[in-house]
């Protein structure tokens, strides 16, 4: 009886409901992302055609709009700022601490920590990833793989923003009978840095707010919050 109950609760026997339960967080935010992207496409299309009408130019279909540089630059400028946020957060929280915040490590754990604390090499456990058990370049790469991927996606999306931004900006300049800019010239243009910095500042403010407000405020049951009754000065404690 006990064995049968154990098997029924295993991942192989839980089916779709079990999969959704085990992956609810990722599924929720993926679905929310898709809905937001679709909503942006419809809203951006309407706004784009309003501008075309104001300039007495031909309007375009939704399908045509989502292949334009205008849509691509709007999407990519948001992606790069989000990945910049996580790239910085993953990196600086290795060394920088915030007393009382659940977003910070405990105050005595600043730095990359010992092999024993990180469960690598001889301290690896049975379920540890294979590259955590070996040494050399594989462990070095795997030890920083999250930061490397976040940084790579940030740089690639920022590159896409600069390229599509150049095209979108030049389309606007041509409608105003102005000479187009080269990609290198656009990198120094106010339009590029206005798009970039207005996204960066909002992401950085959000992270700073979360790190500081979570010292004093609580959300019962959330891993992003300390337990409701935890002291304000308790650091690195999640509820």
């Amino acid at each position: 009886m006990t064995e049968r109950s154990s098997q029924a609760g295993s991942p192989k026997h839980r089916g779709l409901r079990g999969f959704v339960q085990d992956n609810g967080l990722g599924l929720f935010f993926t679905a929310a992302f898709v809905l937001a992207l679709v909503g942006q496409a419809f809203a951006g299309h309407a706004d784009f055609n309003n501008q075309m009408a104001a300039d007495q130019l031909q309007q375009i279909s939704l399908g045509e709009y989502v292949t334009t540089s205008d849509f691509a630059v709007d999407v990519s400028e948001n992606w790069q700022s989000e990945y910049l946020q996580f790239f910085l957060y993953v990196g600086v929280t290795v060394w920088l601490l915030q007393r009382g915040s659940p977003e910070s490590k405990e105050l005595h754990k600043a730095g990359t920590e010992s092999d024993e604390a990180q469960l690598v090499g001889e301290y690896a456990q049975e379920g540890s990833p294979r590259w955590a058990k070996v040494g050399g370049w594989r462990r070095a790469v795997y030890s920083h793989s999250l930061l490397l991927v976040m940084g790579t996606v940030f740089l690639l999306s920022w590159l896409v923003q600069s390229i599509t931004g150049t095209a979108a900006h030049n389309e606007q300049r041509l409608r105003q009978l102005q000479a187009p800019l080269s990609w290198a010239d656009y990198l120094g243009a106010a339009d590029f840095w206005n798009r970039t910095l207005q996204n960066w500042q909002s992401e950085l403010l959000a992270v700073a707010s979360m790190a500081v407000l979570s010292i004093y405020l609580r959300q019962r049951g959330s891993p992003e919050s300390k337990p409701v009754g935890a002291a304000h000065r308790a650091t690195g404690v999640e509820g």
Side-chain angles (χ1 to χ4, degrees):
M1 183 69 178
T2 303
E3 182 179 355
R4 182 178 299 175
S5 298
S6 176
Q7 288 181 348
S10 67
K12 293 182 179 179
H13 297 270
R14 298 180 64 196
L16 178 60
R17 182 176 179 181
F19 175 81
V20 171
Q21 183 177 1
D22 290 348
N23 299 279
L25 192 59
L27 291 171
F28 172 80
F29 280 103
T30 299
F33 159 74
V34 172
L35 290 174
L37 186 63
V38 171
Q40 179 186 349
F42 279 98
H45 174 240
D47 183 58
F48 183 85
N49 277 340
N50 287 339
Q51 295 179 23
M52 293 297 99
D55 294 336
Q56 297 183 340
L57 297 174
Q58 183 178 358
Q59 299 185 5
I60 62 175
S61 67
L62 177 64
E64 291 173 320
Y65 172 71
V66 296
T67 63
T68 64
S69 56
D70 287 78
F71 180 68
V73 69
D74 287 343
V75 171
S76 59
E77 72 181 31
N78 286 298
W79 286 19
Q80 60 89 2
S81 63
E82 295 293 343
Y83 279 97
L84 172 67
Q85 173 193 148
F86 287 111
F87 170 71
L88 291 177
Y89 193 74
V90 169
V92 302
T93 51
V94 174
W95 298 98
L96 302 184
L97 309 172
Q98 180 64 55
R99 180 183 293 275
S101 176
E103 302 297 317
S104 168
K105 295 194 294 183
E106 296 177 72
L107 300 180
H108 66 281
K109 292 184 178 180
T112 54
E113 304 180 21
S114 65
D115 288 354
E116 182 177 6
Q118 289 293 306
L119 303 177
V120 298
E122 62 180 300
Y123 302 103
Q125 300 178 342
E126 182 179 352
S128 297
R130 185 165 59 89
W131 280 27
K133 300 178 181 179
V134 299
W137 67 269
R138 286 180 294 178
R139 188 199 301 174
V141 169
Y142 191 69
S143 296
H144 303 284
S145 55
L146 182 59
L147 189 68
L148 290 171
V149 170
M150 291 293 181
T152 300
V153 176
F154 160 64
L155 291 175
L156 289 176
S157 56
W158 201 18
L159 176 63
V160 171
Q161 178 198 335
S162 70
I163 295 172
T164 56
T166 302
H169 187 64
N170 281 337
E171 287 178 7
Q172 183 178 16
R173 289 178 64 89
L174 289 172
R175 290 197 296 267
Q176 298 170 349
L177 304 179
Q178 295 179 315
L181 299 178
S182 68
W183 175 72
D185 288 336
Y186 181 69
L187 291 182
D191 182 78
F192 175 70
W193 286 104
N194 179 51
R195 286 179 175 273
T196 295
L197 294 174
Q198 68 177 314
N199 283 280
W200 286 7
Q201 54 88 13
S202 62
E203 302 301 335
L204 297 174
L205 175 63
V207 173
S209 299
M210 185 64 184
V212 175
L213 291 177
S214 59
I215 298 173
Y216 306 102
L217 306 180
R218 309 284 191 269
Q219 176 55 56
R220 185 169 185 154
S222 175
E224 299 303 314
S225 167
K226 293 187 288 189
V228 176
H232 290 328
R233 61 182 292 111
T235 307
V237 179
E238 297 179 345

